[in-house]
Amino acid sequence: MKLFPAIDIKNGQCVRLRQGQFHNVEVYSQVPVRIAKNFQESGAAFIHIVDLDGALAGHSVNEDVIKAIVENVSIPVEVGGGIRTIQDIETKLNLGVGRVIIGTSAVENPHFVREALRRFGNSKIVVGIDAKNGMVATDGWEKISNYNAVQLALEMKEIGIKTIIYTDISRDGMLSGPNLEHTRDMVEKTQMDIIASGGVSSMKDLDDLNSIPVYGAIIGKALYENRVNLREAVKKYGV
């Protein structure tokens, strides 16, 4: 299981939201680059970044911060939030981003995903599926669609997507443990590379996800609240 320490950026700062609510925000650092460098020094092999302002606005907002992170670490980063056009993807990749996460647009415009895959390949393009009670959320988690999360993943698989970042927004930022039932359902029914996100609060949670087994796990608030030691987690899972 691969580990993805997370940096969520809002107003240029490193923050965490509770259940994806933009008014329920806690600032952990005013210098996200410093957090990224600490993750690398702790042994991280990949960093997960979300431009929260971009997710809500529908276009990149914190590009300068993302660029600074990429330039100051030697490990790859993946970035999501506000990716709506081929130009958005090109801009991120030209910054040195390792791969780009398509979220809302996967629901609203599957043709865009097809075109992105054709242009950049599935090593550069992953789809983020954010769900609540098994239903897909869009527009920075502000809207709940009529789309079933597993069904959307299967449609993305048919298009050619290999990796899904699956976030249970009811657990995100709550330190309440991941939604193992829905995550297992996603893994078993799609047979895709599923990266679980939302709710990780302890090494036990990581053990539980590893037993499903998921391809990877995103760790956010648990790192900032010192509930999970990244160096120890990397040592245990080897990535």
Side-chain angles (χ1 to χ4, degrees):
M1 181 175 72
K2 300 182 183 299
L3 302 178
F4 297 81
I7 298 176
D8 289 359
I9 304 170
K10 188 175 190 297
N11 298 325
Q13 301 174 316
C14 177
V15 308
R16 300 304 293 175
L17 305 183
R18 290 169 62 88
Q19 297 183 315
Q21 299 172 347
F22 278 74
H23 65 275
N24 202 340
V25 59
E26 187 166 358
V27 177
Y28 282 96
S29 174
Q30 295 183 343
V31 189
V33 171
R34 189 175 300 156
I35 299 294
K37 292 171 75 172
N38 287 341
F39 285 162
Q40 176 172 283
E41 291 166 3
S42 295
F46 221 113
I47 295 176
H48 174 82
I49 299 175
V50 178
D51 181 347
L52 292 173
D53 297 308
L56 197 58
H59 57 84
S60 182
V61 174
N62 291 287
E63 203 155 275
D64 289 346
V65 178
I66 294 167
K67 183 174 186 289
I69 290 173
V70 171
E71 290 177 346
N72 280 276
V73 297
S74 58
I75 57 177
V77 303
E78 61 185 19
V79 174
I83 310 295
R84 302 286 194 273
T85 68
I86 293 296
Q87 182 60 52
D88 290 338
I89 296 174
E90 286 182 336
T91 298
K92 291 293 185 297
L93 295 178
N94 287 339
L95 288 178
V97 167
R99 61 187 184 190
V100 171
I101 305 160
I102 298 176
T104 294
S105 296
V107 178
E108 299 176 346
N109 187 7
H111 174 73
F112 169 55
V113 181
R114 289 191 184 92
E115 179 62 14
L117 284 171
R118 187 186 70 79
R119 294 276 296 271
F120 308 108
N122 64 12
S123 66
K124 296 291 186 183
I125 305 296
V126 300
V127 166
I129 296 180
D130 306 326
K132 188 173 185 179
N133 298 320
M135 305 306 289
V136 176
T138 63
D139 298 284
W141 298 353
E142 294 290 293
K143 300 177 183 177
I144 304 298
S145 73
N146 294 319
Y147 239 108
N148 176 274
V150 170
Q151 183 58 39
L152 176 59
L154 289 171
E155 291 179 15
M156 293 299 103
K157 182 178 182 178
E158 189 172 334
I159 289 173
I161 288 292
K162 179 183 177 184
T163 305
I164 296 289
I165 297 173
Y166 179 61
T167 303
D168 186 303
I169 64 175
S170 66
R171 305 295 182 101
D172 193 74
M174 299 300 290
L175 296 173
S176 58
N179 189 324
L180 298 175
E181 179 184 356
H182 283 178
T183 303
R184 183 178 291 108
D185 200 40
M186 179 70 72
V187 170
E188 292 178 350
K189 290 184 177 178
T190 69
Q191 297 295 301
M192 300 172 76
D193 289 344
I194 304 299
I195 300 174
S197 175
V200 170
S201 65
S202 65
M203 290 292 282
K204 183 185 181 302
D205 289 338
L206 292 175
D207 290 340
D208 289 341
L209 288 171
N210 189 49
S211 71
I212 286 179
V214 296
Y215 171 79
I218 290 171
I219 318 172
K221 192 171 184 177
L223 295 176
Y224 299 101
E225 297 284 341
N226 296 314
R227 294 183 179 225
V228 171
N229 182 290
L230 182 58
R231 193 179 301 275
E232 291 178 5
V234 168
K235 184 177 181 180
K236 181 169 185 178
Y237 295 104
V239 290

